[in-house]
Amino acid sequence: SPFADAADGQVSGTSGTVGATGRSSTGSSRDKTSATVNAVQVQNDTATYYIDHGYLTFDTSSIPDGATVISAELGVYVNSKIESGLSASMCVVESLQASATDLATTDFPLVGTTELATRKVISGLSTAAYTTYALNASGLAVISKTGFTKLALVSSKDFDNSAPSLATYSIVNINCTEQTGTSKDPYLTVVYSLDRSTSDSWAWSDS
């Protein structure tokens, strides 16, 4: 299977609010070299909100131009999760990052506003295991046949513009391609058809 460039990681931001207003500014830091990252975080610490977005890119350019994408599954390996005082979900959206092969603090606000799969309640996630998302029609529409498919993970609190209460937080830590081996890498599996009678399935690793 083809492999994507290692542009997975997190961009973190701090703000006086969450949601669209909080996402409008440049992030405070980025991490694209660690083996694991906090792909989703929202935290209210004395009315300052700490927010993390996770970014995943997959080189899907080997899908033939004339192919029809039938279905796709995103998999992320959850190392750990922790919530205190609130319940949130992990949402999949399109990443609009400037480069498919790099991350910058300026990518923090560059996340889509449409959910590409059914969100997953964080309290229900299994740790030391994959969490998978079946992409919906909007998700299938962002799969690129000519370059990189770029996805992002965000907290439902951030997505829904819902500020958490003071001294509460929700964090999900996932594996990145920088960890040893590929058995826990993020992946994207795409099923597509070339004509009415045949179909192919490819799996892309975010590495």
Side-chain angles (χ1 to χ4, degrees):
S1 298
F3 294 94
D5 204 348
D8 58 355
Q10 75 181 51
V11 181
S12 304
T14 58
S15 176
T17 185
V18 298
T21 301
R23 290 194 301 272
S24 64
S25 59
T26 295
S28 55
S29 64
R30 69 103 159 105
D31 184 352
K32 66 179 289 286
T33 60
S34 295
T36 67
V37 298
N38 291 334
V40 170
Q41 176 178 203
V42 62
Q43 181 175 177
N44 182 347
D45 183 10
T46 63
T48 296
Y49 298 97
Y50 296 87
I51 303 167
D52 291 338
H53 297 157
Y55 298 79
L56 307 167
T57 63
F58 304 91
D59 184 356
T60 50
S61 60
S62 60
I63 299 176
D65 289 344
T68 299
V69 175
I70 299 172
S71 64
E73 179 182 272
L74 170 68
V76 291
Y77 190 90
V78 176
N79 289 301
S80 62
K81 63 180 183 181
I82 183 170
E83 290 190 307
S84 178
L86 65 84
S87 177
S89 297
M90 186 161 63
C91 305
V92 180
V93 297
E94 184 178 10
S95 167
L96 305 173
Q97 66 200 75
S99 170
T101 58
D102 200 3
L103 277 176
T105 54
T106 50
D107 291 323
F108 180 71
L110 301 181
V111 292
T113 57
T114 299
E115 289 191 74
L116 306 184
T118 301
R119 59 179 61 180
K120 301 285 188 177
V121 178
I122 291 172
S123 62
L125 298 180
S126 298
T127 57
Y130 272 100
T131 290
T132 60
Y133 292 85
L135 298 193
N136 58 27
S138 296
L140 300 184
V142 306
I143 294 175
S144 174
K145 301 173 188 175
T146 59
F148 286 82
T149 296
K150 300 182 291 185
L151 305 175
L153 300 171
V154 301
S155 169
S156 59
K157 294 294 184 180
D158 185 23
F159 184 88
D160 295 336
N161 304 322
S162 175
S165 301
L166 184 65
T168 62
Y169 55 87
S170 174
I171 304 170
V172 178
N173 182 272
I174 68 166
N175 262 62
C176 295
T177 56
E178 286 73 18
Q179 56 91 31
T180 302
T182 60
S183 63
K184 300 176 182 177
D185 283 0
Y187 71 82
L188 179 68
T189 299
V190 179
V191 177
Y192 60 85
S193 65
L194 297 173
D195 55 43
R196 294 178 182 272
S197 59
T198 63
S199 65
D200 280 323
S201 175
W202 285 80
W204 282 267
S205 171
D206 179 34
S207 60

